[in-house]
Amino acid sequence: MSALEVVPSAAPRSRRRGIPRVSLGYVGIAVILIITVVAIFAPLISPQDPNAINLLAAKQGPSSAHLLGTDASGRDLLSRLIWGARTSLLGPLLVVVGGTLLGVTVALVAAWRGGIVDAILGRCIDIGFAFPGLLLAIIASAFFGAGLVAPTIGLAIAYTPYIARLTRSVAIRERRLPYISALVTQGMSSFAICIKHLLPNLAPFILMQATLTFGFSMIDLASVSFLGLGVQPPTSDWGLMVSTGEQSLLQGSAWESLFAGLMLVITVGAFSTVGHWLEGISERRLSR
Amino acid sequence: MLRRLVFLVITLLGASIVVYGALFLAPGSPVAAATQGRSLSPVAVKLLEQQYGLNKPLVTRYVDWLGGVVHGDFGSSIVFSEKVGHLLTPRLAVTFELVLYGAVILVLFGILLGTLAALRGALDKLVLFISTVGIATPSFVGALVLISLFAVKLGWFPSLGAGTGVGGRIYHLTLPAIALTVAGTMGVARVTRTSVILELTRDHTDTARARGIAPGGVLRRHVMRNAMVPIATMSGTVIANLFIGTVVVETAFGLNGLGALLVSSVLDKDFAVVLAITLILATAFMVATTVTDLLALWLDPRLRTEGTR
Amino acid sequence: MSDELLRIEDLSIDLPIGGEPRTVVSELSLAIGAGEAVGMVGESGSGKSMTAKAIIGLLPRGARTSGKILFDGTDVLGLRGAELRRYRAQSVAMVFQDPRAAINPVRTIDDFMTEALRDVRGMAAPAARAKAVELLTEVSIGDPERVLTNYPHELSGGMLQRVMIAAMVAQEPRLLLADEPTTALDVTTQAEVITILARLREQHGMALLFITHDLDLAGAICDRTAVMYAGGIVEEQGSAEINEHPRHPYSAALLRCRPSLSQQGGRLAAIEGQPVAAFEAPAGCRFAPRCEYAQDACRVAVPALRPVGGAMVACIRAEELGPLTLLDDTPVAINHATPRQPAEETTPESAATQALVTVTDLRKEFALRGGGRFAAVEGLSFTVKAGGSLAIVGESGAGKSTVARMLMGLERPTNGTIMAMGEDRSGPAHGRATRLRRASQIQMVFQDPYLSLDPRQRVGEVLDESLRLHKRMTRDERRTRVAELLEVIGMSARPAASVPAQLSGGQRQRVAIARALAAEPRLIILDEAVSALDVSMQAQILNLLTDIRERTGVAYILISHDLGVVNYLTEAIIVMRRGEVVEAGDTGTIVTAPTEPYTQRLLACVPRPGWTPPARQPLALSPTAPSA
């Protein structure tokens, strides 16, 4: 009845919160794109060999020879940061892809089938919640040995229940909308409805979750690296660089930790900005 | 309530089986860790294995271990040659104090910042920016920034160690607690801001205004009261995660807590210790989330009715 | 009106919509006397709710106003801070449309009822509580002590609205604003709430501004009625007079287009086009594009509201047209010759094959939370013939939608059989062929046009998808058929490219009907299919449904709570209450001479010209029992 009268009261709110988010969202996307391109073309962009040791040029500040300075072994920091983007992005990407595929599948099955299937999957999800991400990543390192693979698998498993639980609740809400019932009464198969209608309408939400998860798992993986349980030296990785830079930092040369930490903050910040921007979009979609 | 408790115990049991099984199937022999690279005669190895019960089948060992845990005995550390219980007791205090300190900071500042952002339009953008940066800051990066600024440059706080006495403890734990909670505080601030803004525009808030209730009353009894539900849920979840976050922060600040010990034990393959700490942290995490759920139930009567099914 | 309480002078309201200020109320003037009840009637976007919000100072952020709202001579638009609070606390109160949203869900009814008394009046807790109990008794709540300890979600909608009214009256306002307070309620509950509202107004000497979309409802409770269209008042008259002799073409059209308890079949005198907001309206008279009396002169300037024959009318032809008549002189002729059973005797088939759907002893149980079972539908039997029509009528919780869902295979019956077109539909559809055959035979149109279309799909795709499922057609054939279907529902080919968000509610419901038609079903189930629409849209859709039946011979099962709509569209009725059949039979007979007390009460509660809510009868539910 009052569809039109709803709009005005929502309008000032979305103006207050929506517009800065939109522009910030684009900034975030731009940052993510730039870092991704740098990571992909690292061999072409990197000015020097990231692993070339030069003890004579150790712990230097930024100069024309080394734009961002050097680490304790005299390796070029800019080159290490560029190569580090690869490992630092690859891990979270695998976590997000794995966790989302698994989580969304579980969520859709649970939401669509309902009843006993939903109850069983729901219990599994609850049990999964007992394992916080970082703890599982550390245990995985203990199990498989340190490296990129073990913590990544651990995190993917740890994030699956989170993704599944949130997606399930949104999917159940969407499934109850009459347009889905309308499609059932059209005689369309469950699978087709899920793939052609339900999933596309959940897409903004799933994308939002994936983006936020990317940021979180990046922090987790960097933390594992920082603890020495993740990527092993001499591979370039931002989390590892913060850790190896700690010694220099205590001696007054903060460059390595500073730049690596900054890259982490900027990248995760970009992902969470885009995530919150998408959250606004999917909320508006869902609160139709 | 009872069902939650039973579920908690069952989940922990399941978790312990998985972790126990996984750790003992892992490549790399614990004996090698205990001998620290020295080569031993096969007889000596046998003796060691017997001493730590490594020659029995897995299931027997698990049952033995579980029996011990029930009596408060977590087995012995191979590396430290000491009862795990003795090893953990002093460290337990450091970790829990750190989390408690962090939780206080988190709740106070998170809610304060978020509410200010929601109510004072001028601060909104600033808080939004700070929270974006804060959420994106890994605790170890925060730790290093704090150390280099307040410990190395200014010398206001110590960079290492946990301190002694109540005052000394608080003094020593301040930087670690801040580093531990930077992201969480900002997360709580964000949720607070969103929920307060949402409740401000709700119909029931309008009803209260329409009845001539003073802004303070509207804010307290309608806006904040209702926003407390998501805020409490978020705070509880974040606090639960602080237990795991201590692993990183304790390592960064050289604190002798559970977390730091977990890392060194994983590297040393000191499984009895890894197991014990994992279970303690997982238990703390689950208890915290369960308390959070109960808190939400208490705050929101609608959940109570649904919860009884 | 010697004793004037409220005077609105040239009120205009601009709201920021899409980032730009848009006018939603335009130069509105209205006066309310002390103790007087004024109805404000209009469709979506007419600006009636915003006017009420302006009176109590609750316009959304960013709203801009001009003009004056004088309460006892003070301009309330200028009030701020403590003055505004004092005005709200002592002078006005507002009852909102949806009490479930308007009452804080996490606090008890006690808190809600006594908050303002303690906080604003400074009453002590026991005194405030005693007053709350007294007022809850006044609004006919049987066990006030217990209700005070409840939370809002533990009460039914009707109960909550009574709590709301009691809480507002507790503040002893001099003016009560009621914004569609009964729109979300069942008719019998609506009648009760209206009775209570009228009684309380009298006892407490309050003035009332009653906002509604129903002229008859306004007539039942108000002394005067103002009809709004696109942000302005087009007519203002005594409530009884306006219902008999409207003077503005819009008021007349609103009254004519309603399906009533006295009209069966034929065509409704629908208003062309759709209602608009002030900022969407053209220059000149805002109603001109939809007005059957419009002339070129109407499109020049907005006509002023001026006295014409005892009424206030904003129409330049008011004197010339005089009081407008309602039924006899309707410009669109009612086609009484319309056969109500078009498929009748066209094929000499036996009665058995003529029965499209036969439902026998249908029962559906649901498991209750916390154990136990409850029967949503119990012992239901009926037959629908080819080309026939049946209405299933009842209030919320009657189980009528469950019946629809079972017929569609969305729910499975616990007991009983559903035979449709020679096939037992009680069980699940195994295999694609069965599923599609069943779907193509019976289609459904849902209540909410905003939610029953996939928001991502364009109109053309919606129809194309249905054709691909049910018809073996080439792409070109489908394209031609989509155009035909759009033609049938009265939409040109252009909207084929629009997504639902770009369409109005009425247009969306047309698309949903076209989608149902695409499968060429023999039966369409209309689940409250016109309930969510504005009155003028509703008439258009009902006419469309009549046309479609004449053209295709499709049968309808109409699920509805609106007896006017039921009477217009169907030839047989089943009245349900709490899952059981109360009365069944021929529509004309039941509407004119119901035998069961429940049906009688239901009919007595339907607003109509000159209607007053019936006195409570012993049959009514006990007041504390949640009715849903």
Side-chain angles (χ1 to χ4, degrees), chain C residues 234-245:
Chain C
V234 294
E235 178 172 359
E236 193 192 317
Q237 240 199 114
S239 298
E241 289 77 26
I242 206 169
N243 278 318
E244 276 169 40
H245 300 294

Side-chain angles (χ1 to χ4, degrees), chain B residues 230-268:
Chain B
I231 293 173
T233 309
M234 179 68 183
S235 304
T237 314
V238 170
I239 290 171
N241 274 293
L242 291 186
F243 283 104
I244 320 302
T246 57
V247 177
V248 177
V249 172
E250 284 171 7
T251 307
F253 282 93
L255 295 175
N256 240 338
L258 294 180
L261 183 61
L262 174 66
V263 176
S264 61
S265 304
V266 166
L267 289 170
D268 294 341

Side-chain angles (χ1 to χ4, degrees), chain C residues 126-200:
Chain C
R129 204 184 149 86
K131 174 122 185 165
V133 169
E134 177 196 322
L135 275 152
L136 286 180
T137 316
E138 272 195 51
V139 296
S140 312
I141 283 177
D143 188 359
E145 299 281 353
R146 199 198 47 134
V147 168
L148 281 178
T149 65
N150 282 136
Y151 284 97
H153 68 274
E154 294 164 337
L155 302 177
S156 71
M159 288 276 283
L160 269 190
Q161 194 59 291
R162 282 187 278 182
V163 167
M164 183 83 179
I165 292 170
M168 293 306 142
V169 171
Q171 292 182 257
E172 291 161 22
R174 296 172 62 198
L175 171 64
L176 184 66
L177 309 169
D179 186 2
E180 307 228 19
T182 61
T183 303
L185 306 176
D186 281 323
V187 278
T188 53
T189 320
Q190 164 169 290
E192 281 168 20
V193 169
I194 294 291
T195 311
I196 289 166
L197 212 50
R199 194 183 67 223
L200 286 178

Side-chain angles (χ1 to χ4, degrees), chain A residues 128 130-147 149-155 157-158 220 224 227 229-230, chain B residues 12 14-27 244 247 259 262-263 265-267 269 271 273-283:
Chain A
F131 296 95
L134 191 56
L135 190 60
L136 208 62
I138 291 171
I139 296 172
S141 295
F143 181 18
F144 293 111
V149 182
T152 303
I153 292 174
L155 278 181
I157 293 170
D220 286 340
V224 175
L227 296 173
L229 302 173
Chain B
L12 278 174
S16 73
I17 293 174
V18 173
V19 177
Y20 196 94
L23 286 178
F24 281 87
L25 291 173
I244 320 302
V247 177
L262 174 66
V263 176
S265 304
V266 166
L267 289 170
K269 298 208 178 294
F271 289 146
V273 180
V274 171
L275 251 175
I277 298 180
T278 305
L279 278 187
I280 291 172
L281 291 183
T283 310

